[in-house]
Amino acid sequence: MTQHESAIQRSIKLGDVVRLSFGFADQSGSGEYEIVRIMPTRASGEREYRVRGADGHERAIGHDQIVSDGLESVRSPAG
């Protein structure tokens, strides 16, 4: 993990809204997702999150599934 990736992982917190880098099998991957739970890290050291989409469904994702091209890709609901 690079220093930049590590900084982004630390910056993600409950309530943040993120975009995912892919779609799900049910074709519902577009849009924004709210972080509703920060889960334990995987054996590889990657952080996992529970997210909720506009459709109300919750999904478990790995950090690598979050668009991470900069801190502007992650925002708090208020801004």
Side-chain angles (χ1 to χ4, degrees):
M1 175 182 337
T2 68
Q3 185 177 10
H4 179 70
E5 289 169 332
S6 180
I8 291 171
Q9 278 195 23
R10 284 194 303 272
S11 71
I12 295 175
K13 57 190 176 300
L14 290 178
D16 282 353
V17 177
V18 298
R19 286 196 163 272
L20 302 184
S21 62
F22 73 102
F24 294 99
D26 62 3
Q27 305 299 314
S28 61
S30 62
E32 297 180 332
Y33 293 82
E34 178 184 0
I35 302 290
V36 295
R37 183 172 163 213
I38 299 173
M39 299 165 56
T41 56
R42 295 178 179 169
S44 66
E46 179 187 16
R47 176 69 72 186
E48 288 190 309
Y49 305 93
R50 191 87 179 156
V51 297
R52 181 180 305 125
D55 60 4
H57 289 99
E58 289 189 14
R59 297 163 170 91
I61 62 165
H63 182 79
D64 65 343
Q65 295 166 304
I66 295 174
V67 174
S68 58
D69 58 352
L71 293 176
E72 64 276 1
S73 296
V74 178
R75 67 175 178 83
S76 295

